[in-house]
């Protein structure tokens, strides 16, 4: 049997090593994954999770969980009232619950979603400068119940984690704000200049109509920019909830084609339809899946050549559903494909063909990952690109 003092010493050594690692990580998703993995290991638990608070909705949202890697877990809302995590936030205290199933504070929706029964639970608040920003939980101690030593260890980890999370959030927020200001500056300047021209009394009517058209176009562009920024912020912060349903995939794909049909017609692009009629229903969030496919289809139109083709198709395998969109556009080099799904990344030279924020593919990737799937790209310069979505069938 291992010496308990040595085991405790080893756990403290792990904490010291981890503190350096957390301080140097500025990728929020990677940081949260490291924290929950460390929490499970240090407490000898089956799993651990992080929930972060949202002042706007007065709720907590799942951001990361070890051994609970199921679709739609991230973004799952937990109320501050009638939940153990909410009690921890309100009371600013850690708690050990030996029998959660019979605790009136236990919020069973999480258990139903994760399909992991909670036998016991240890939770600590994440506090930065007197503000509770979330909760770190460990569930199902592998031997017996959680001890006061486990609580002490997790509390120390929670203190380190809270500072690291806040620093990473501030860094990313600064990055996003810089890009937002940069992106809105051009259309805003166009609208302001057009507005000043409209004040001129000697402006010919034909010029007047052109300027009004410019203002409407730039206003539409601003609206699209703000929508993308808001969607990205919700996805990155984990505040976007997913509501899965049985959906008719051919019908959903038809709707996305309808939205882009006028753009295709203006460039004389031919659509090739490769979606079987009797396609099996799949489980997904229809709004978010439609958003992801629409982003890919819009890009296929934007970066295609006049008179080109776009192929949209779907295949159902035993465990996986595949959706693909193939175009005959400019293509993407192998080097640029490596960064394609990063936030604010735009392929060099693509800005000459179409405007954009560099967030579209990052949003697609995050939506599909939340569904437990992935997005692949296969492209050659000058020959076109194929984007493939792979989703769990069930």
């Amino acid at each position: 049997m291992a010496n308990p003092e040595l085991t405790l010493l080893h756990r403290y050594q792990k904490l010291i090593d981890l503190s350096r690692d957390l301080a140097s990580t500025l990728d929020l998703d990677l940081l949260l994954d490291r924290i929950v993995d460390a929490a499970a290991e240090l407490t000898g638990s089956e799993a651990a999770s992080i929930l972060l608070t949202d002042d706007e909705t007065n709720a907590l949202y799942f951001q990361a969980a070890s051994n609970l890697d199921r679709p739609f877990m991230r973004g799952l809302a937990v109320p501050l009232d009638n939940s153990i995590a909410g009690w921890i936030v309100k009371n600013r205290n850690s708690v050990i619950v030996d029998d959660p199933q019979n605790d009136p504070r236990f919020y069973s929706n999480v258990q139903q979603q994760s399909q992991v029964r909670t036998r016991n639970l240890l939770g600590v608040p994440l506090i930065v400068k007197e503000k509770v920003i979330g909760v770190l939980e460990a569930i199902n101690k592998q031997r017996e119940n959680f001890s006061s030593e486990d609580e002490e260890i997790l509390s120390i980890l929670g203190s380190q984690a809270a500072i690291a999370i806040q620093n990473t959030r501030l860094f990313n927020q600064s990055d996003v704000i810089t890009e937002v200001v940069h992106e809105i500056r051009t259309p805003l300047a166009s609208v302001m200049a057009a507005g000043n021209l409209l004040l001129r009394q000697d402006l010919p009517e034909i010029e007047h109509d052109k300027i009004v058209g410019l203002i409407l176009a730039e206003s539409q562009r601003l609206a699209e920019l703000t929508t993308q920024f808001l969607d990205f912020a919700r996805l990155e912060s984990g505040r976007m909830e997913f509501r899965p349903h049985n959906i008719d995939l051919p019908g959903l794909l038809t709707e996305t084609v309808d939205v882009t049909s006028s753009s295709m017609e203006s460039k004389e692009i031919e659509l090739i339809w490769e979606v079987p009629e009797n396609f099996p229903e799949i489980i997904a969030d229809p709004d978010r899946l439609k958003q992801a496919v629409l982003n890919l289809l819009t890009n296929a139109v934007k970066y295609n050549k006049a008179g080109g083709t776009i192929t949209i198709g779907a295949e159902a395998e035993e465990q996986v559903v595949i959706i693909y969109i193939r175009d005959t556009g400019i293509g993407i080099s192998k080097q640029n494909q490596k960064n394609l799904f990063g936030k604010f990344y735009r392929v060099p030279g693509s800005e000459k063909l179409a405007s954009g924020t560099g967030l579209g593919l990052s949003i697609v990737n995050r939506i599909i990952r939340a569904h437990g799937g992935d997005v692949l790209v296969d492209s050659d310069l000058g020959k076109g690109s194929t984007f493939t979505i792979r989703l769990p069938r069930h």
Side-chain angles (χ1 to χ4, degrees):
M1 185 176 176
N3 183 337
E5 291 184 3
L6 184 63
T7 303
L8 185 60
L9 182 63
H10 175 71
R11 292 202 283 179
Y12 275 111
Q13 184 60 52
K14 290 280 290 183
L15 274 173
I16 294 170
D17 295 340
L18 185 66
S19 64
R20 290 191 288 265
D21 189 31
L22 297 184
S24 62
T25 304
L26 291 174
D27 183 307
L28 185 59
D29 289 342
L30 180 60
L31 175 67
L32 297 177
D33 287 341
R34 286 178 177 172
I35 293 168
V36 294
D37 288 343
E41 180 185 356
L42 290 169
T43 59
S45 308
E46 288 181 7
S49 60
I50 287 177
L51 301 91
L52 297 181
T53 58
D54 180 20
D55 295 335
E56 291 181 18
T57 60
N58 201 34
L60 288 148
Y61 291 86
F62 265 92
Q63 300 297 292
S66 65
N67 299 334
L68 296 178
D69 189 18
R70 294 181 57 80
F72 313 117
M73 277 297 293
R74 192 164 195 254
L76 185 65
V78 174
L80 286 177
D81 297 323
N82 303 316
S83 71
I84 294 172
W87 184 94
I88 293 170
V89 171
K90 287 182 174 182
N91 290 273
R92 307 169 66 88
N93 275 325
S94 56
V95 67
I96 294 174
V97 183
D98 293 332
D99 185 13
Q101 303 296 329
N102 291 313
D103 192 302
R105 299 169 296 182
F106 185 61
Y107 185 66
S108 61
N109 272 22
V110 175
Q111 182 172 267
Q112 293 167 9
Q113 183 72 34
S114 68
Q115 296 185 3
V116 175
R117 183 176 174 80
T118 306
R119 300 192 308 274
N120 48 38
L121 181 149
L122 165 61
V124 300
L126 301 174
I127 302 176
V128 181
K129 296 180 180 178
E130 302 302 315
K131 177 178 173 63
V132 181
I133 65 167
V135 174
L136 176 60
E137 291 183 340
I139 68 166
N140 297 346
K141 176 80 171 178
Q142 292 175 343
R143 294 183 179 178
E144 301 178 350
N145 287 324
F146 289 104
S147 66
S148 57
E149 286 180 357
D150 294 322
E151 185 175 3
E152 183 179 348
I153 289 288
L154 197 65
S155 294
I156 295 171
L157 175 61
S159 298
Q160 296 174 349
I163 295 169
I165 290 169
Q166 193 74 341
N167 287 342
T168 302
R169 276 176 152 183
L170 290 172
F171 175 83
N172 290 337
Q173 188 178 51
S174 173
D175 189 27
V176 170
I177 289 172
T178 300
E179 290 294 335
V180 169
V181 171
H182 175 73
E183 288 294 337
I184 69 172
R185 187 177 290 165
T186 301
L188 196 57
S190 297
V191 170
M192 290 174 66
N196 285 323
L197 283 173
L198 287 177
L199 293 174
R200 293 181 54 174
Q201 300 295 323
D202 58 343
L203 188 68
E205 187 174 345
I206 189 169
E207 292 297 322
H208 178 280
D209 292 344
K210 284 182 181 178
I211 292 171
V212 170
L214 172 67
I215 290 175
L216 290 173
E218 292 299 286
S219 298
Q220 179 64 31
R221 185 178 167 196
L222 279 169
E224 290 172 358
L225 285 173
T226 54
T227 299
Q228 280 212 321
F229 282 126
L230 286 171
D231 282 343
F232 179 78
R234 290 191 189 102
L235 282 163
E236 190 169 59
S237 67
R239 288 182 293 139
M240 183 175 282
E241 272 199 85
F242 290 82
R243 296 178 174 84
H245 302 287
N246 288 331
I247 63 172
D248 167 32
L249 185 61
L252 183 143
L253 296 178
T254 299
E255 290 174 10
T256 64
V257 170
D258 289 342
V259 173
T260 56
S261 60
S262 61
S263 300
M264 288 190 202
E265 288 172 7
S266 67
K267 294 184 73 171
E268 297 182 342
I269 293 172
E270 179 189 358
L271 177 70
I272 299 173
W273 183 258
E274 295 182 354
V275 182
E277 288 185 12
N278 298 320
F279 203 85
E281 284 192 335
I282 65 170
I283 297 176
D285 183 313
D287 294 331
R288 298 306 165 201
L289 182 57
K290 182 179 177 181
Q291 181 182 6
V293 174
L294 190 56
N295 273 357
L296 294 180
L297 193 54
T298 301
N299 280 352
V301 176
K302 275 184 183 179
Y303 302 110
N304 212 332
K305 59 188 178 185
T309 63
I310 291 176
T311 304
I312 183 166
E315 299 171 3
E317 298 181 354
E318 187 175 345
Q319 300 294 332
V320 177
V321 166
I322 297 170
I323 304 166
Y324 56 88
I325 296 173
R326 184 181 303 119
D327 66 62
T328 54
I330 59 173
I332 306 159
S333 70
K334 300 299 179 187
Q335 181 181 357
N336 289 327
Q337 288 175 35
K338 298 175 184 176
N339 304 311
L340 206 54
F341 297 103
K343 63 182 180 182
F344 303 119
Y345 181 77
R346 298 203 69 197
V347 174
S350 63
E351 66 277 359
K352 298 175 184 177
L353 298 172
S355 62
T357 61
L359 287 177
L361 290 178
S362 180
I363 289 172
V364 170
N365 192 39
R366 286 171 182 268
I367 288 173
I368 300 306
R369 279 172 52 196
H371 282 76
D374 51 22
V375 188
L376 308 172
V377 60
D378 181 25
S379 183
D380 290 308
L381 274 175
K383 295 182 180 179
S385 306
T386 300
F387 284 86
T388 304
I389 295 173
R390 294 173 58 88
L391 294 172
R393 183 166 170 180
H394 305 293

